[in-house]
Amino acid sequence: MSKRVGISAVPRSRTTAPIRATSSKPKASKIQFESLFATIRAIFDRVYRAQSNEFYTLLGFTLFLVAFGVLMVLSASSIDSLIANNNALSIGAKQFGYAIIGLIGMTILSAIPVRVWQHRSVVILLASLSVQFLVIFFGKEVNGNKNWISIFGFTFQPSEFLKLAVIIALSAMLAKNVDYFHISKTWTPPIVVSAAALGLVLAGRDLGTAIVMAIAFLGLMVLAGMPTNLALKVVGIASVAGILLMSQSSSRWGRILAWLNPSAPDPNGYNWQSEHGEWAIAAGRLFGVGLGESKMKWSWIPEVENDFIFAIIAEEFGLIGALVVIVMFVLLARALVRILNRTQDTYSRFIVAGVTVWLVFQALINIAVVLRLLPVLGVPLPLISAGGSSLISTLGAIGLVLSIERSNHLGFGAVRSASRNRKAR
């Protein structure tokens, strides 16, 4: 008779360990991570969901330029980073961190109603002017410009944030007196505020930033409705003051003369940066030498990851890549103009106008300098060049515009809803 063998009768190997019950509870760190991710996702859904096409268009071009900028800073700065810190990724990693901070700031500002800044415009302006005033006494000098402050190991450029602060203040002044633009005295406070901001920046000898600020502030006032004769007077006075200031600096005047006479002897090397930038563009030809393969970034171009990053873009991606970047800025400007045309509120319109003039002309100046259409001015390419202050302030400005477009979308939605209700009745 055969013996029936059941499951219980199967002998257990001595080497087989008994099966122990495992805990089904997830780890605490995993729970915290999932909770944080869910919170971030909820915030982004609330901030960026169900917005207008113009909102997403501006956001999309901004994200593309920021991501491309981080990539190009990593490539352009690799040699300088290796020489300075024995780490080829140091400057690129910093730029990535600045991008994260700037995008978080943009998200927060896009969720705050723009009226909050209008009511606090005077406080914002005075605080920004005060910090810029401190630069004169406690500022850090870099490449001949004393326009940085270093606190606890962190260095930032107050003038980059002063641009946005003055645009907020000028917009509030102009919106308050929009019915009195025909009176010359109405324009005195905006002109005085602009002159004070420019004077503090020029005290630190940062001519490039001052030029961008002057164009942004005057452009805002002209678009707001400044009389033509008054605008021409302001331009004339500013031009004379600029020439006088440049004549007081031998290096600035030397750069201008070298730019006007590129074939003349250049014993001081004023054309060195421009010439090598031009060589980088020529080396790129049509399709470029490839990402990371630039030769001019090997200490041939000073400030290669900052003022002259467009030259490395043209070298590594060729004429095609350079044109794509230019087209992206054109599309960014188009998105800003479309939002400007959709904006009905006067104060908000002035904000969008000021930010548009600022970003468009700063990009134009940077690219024109690299192409040797202008003398070297030390102006970064918005959203792309290395520099935390420039990137964070620019993203903050775009955050304000996104906030304004959010209000536009809500307004148009309310109008459409009211129209549907009337038709239903």
Side-chain angles (χ1 to χ4, degrees):
M1 183 176 180
S2 61
K3 187 177 180 181
R4 186 171 57 184
V5 179
I7 296 175
S8 59
V10 177
R12 186 176 63 187
S13 173
R14 295 179 180 178
T15 59
T16 304
I19 300 175
R20 297 179 181 178
T22 57
S23 175
S24 60
K25 295 182 180 180
K27 295 181 179 180
S29 59
K30 184 178 180 181
I31 295 175
Q32 293 175 355
F33 176 79
E34 291 178 350
S35 176
L36 177 62
F37 180 78
T39 302
I40 294 174
R41 182 176 178 179
I43 292 173
F44 273 77
D45 283 347
R46 181 180 178 184
V47 173
Y48 292 119
R49 205 175 217 179
Q51 299 301 322
S52 65
N53 290 332
E54 286 75 13
F55 184 99
Y56 290 129
T57 300
L58 177 59
L59 179 62
F61 291 137
T62 300
L63 293 177
F64 174 85
L65 288 171
V66 170
F68 183 72
V70 171
L71 178 66
M72 289 311 305
V73 168
L74 181 62
S75 174
S77 66
S78 58
I79 304 304
D80 288 343
S81 298
L82 194 62
I83 294 172
N85 306 306
N86 200 27
N87 181 0
L89 304 179
S90 60
I91 296 178
K94 284 183 180 180
Q95 187 71 5
F96 178 75
Y98 295 143
I100 297 299
I101 295 172
L103 291 173
I104 293 173
M106 181 186 74
T107 301
I108 294 172
L109 290 178
S110 70
I112 299 175
V114 73
R115 290 294 176 186
V116 172
W117 313 115
Q118 182 178 10
H119 298 324
R120 294 167 175 78
S121 60
V122 175
V123 176
I124 294 172
L125 175 65
L126 292 177
S128 299
L129 289 173
S130 299
V131 175
Q132 188 63 43
F133 179 74
L134 293 176
V135 174
I136 300 175
F137 302 99
F138 307 104
K140 179 181 179 181
E141 186 170 326
V142 178
N143 295 329
N145 294 339
K146 192 177 181 181
N147 206 21
W148 285 262
I149 285 183
S150 182
I151 300 177
F152 302 118
F154 294 95
T155 302
F156 70 99
Q157 190 174 354
S159 58
E160 292 293 338
F161 301 96
L162 184 59
K163 295 176 189 175
L164 184 56
V166 174
I167 288 174
I168 291 172
L170 291 182
S171 299
M173 293 179 186
L174 296 173
K176 185 178 180 180
N177 298 287
V178 69
D179 295 327
Y180 306 99
F181 282 174
H182 59 284
I183 303 174
S184 299
K185 292 182 180 180
T186 303
W187 298 98
T188 301
I191 293 173
V192 170
V193 168
S194 301
L198 291 172
L200 290 175
V201 173
L202 288 172
R205 301 187 296 277
D206 191 350
L207 182 61
T209 301
I211 290 175
V212 173
M213 292 172 66
I215 292 174
F217 303 158
L218 182 60
L220 168 57
M221 288 187 278
V222 169
L223 291 176
M226 174 182 274
T228 304
N229 59 343
L230 180 59
L232 292 175
K233 290 179 182 178
V234 173
V235 171
I237 295 172
S239 300
V240 172
I243 293 173
L244 291 175
L245 287 170
M246 285 185 290
S247 64
Q248 299 300 316
S249 173
S250 59
S251 61
R252 288 198 190 99
W253 195 246
R255 285 200 299 266
I256 293 173
L257 294 176
W259 170 69
L260 292 173
N261 302 279
S263 59
D266 186 22
N268 294 314
Y270 290 128
N271 277 329
W272 174 275
Q273 193 176 27
S274 299
E275 285 179 352
H276 286 78
E278 192 174 43
W279 295 353
I281 296 172
R285 299 192 178 185
L286 188 60
F287 297 105
V289 298
L291 178 63
E293 299 298 323
S294 166
K295 294 180 175 63
M296 288 297 108
K297 70 181 181 182
W298 286 74
S299 302
W300 288 104
I301 303 178
E303 302 296 330
V304 67
E305 70 274 4
N306 196 332
D307 305 341
F308 268 70
I309 196 168
F310 186 76
I312 304 303
I313 293 173
E315 184 182 6
E316 295 190 348
F317 291 97
L319 177 62
I320 301 299
L323 289 177
V324 168
V325 172
I326 293 174
V327 168
M328 291 301 296
F329 276 109
V330 171
L331 294 175
L332 181 75
R334 181 176 179 268
L336 289 168
V337 172
R338 285 177 65 88
I339 293 174
L340 175 63
N341 292 333
R342 282 167 51 88
T343 305
Q344 303 298 320
D345 176 65
T346 303
Y347 173 71
S348 299
R349 282 180 63 85
F350 292 158
I351 289 283
V352 179
V355 171
T356 302
V357 175
W358 162 19
L359 298 185
V360 169
F361 276 91
Q362 182 167 327
L364 282 174
I365 290 172
N366 176 275
I367 295 173
V369 166
V370 175
L371 297 177
R372 302 192 75 175
L373 300 176
L374 289 174
V376 176
L377 295 172
V379 175
L381 187 60
L383 300 174
I384 293 182
S385 290
S389 299
S390 176
L391 180 58
I392 293 171
S393 64
T394 303
L395 287 173
I398 293 175
L400 287 182
V401 178
L402 290 175
S403 172
I404 291 167
E405 177 54 26
R406 187 191 306 279
S407 299
N408 294 342
H409 186 57
L410 291 174
F412 283 120
V415 170
R416 286 194 296 268
S417 178
S419 177
R420 285 195 297 267
N421 292 335
R422 284 195 298 269
K423 289 180 181 180
R425 293 174 185 174

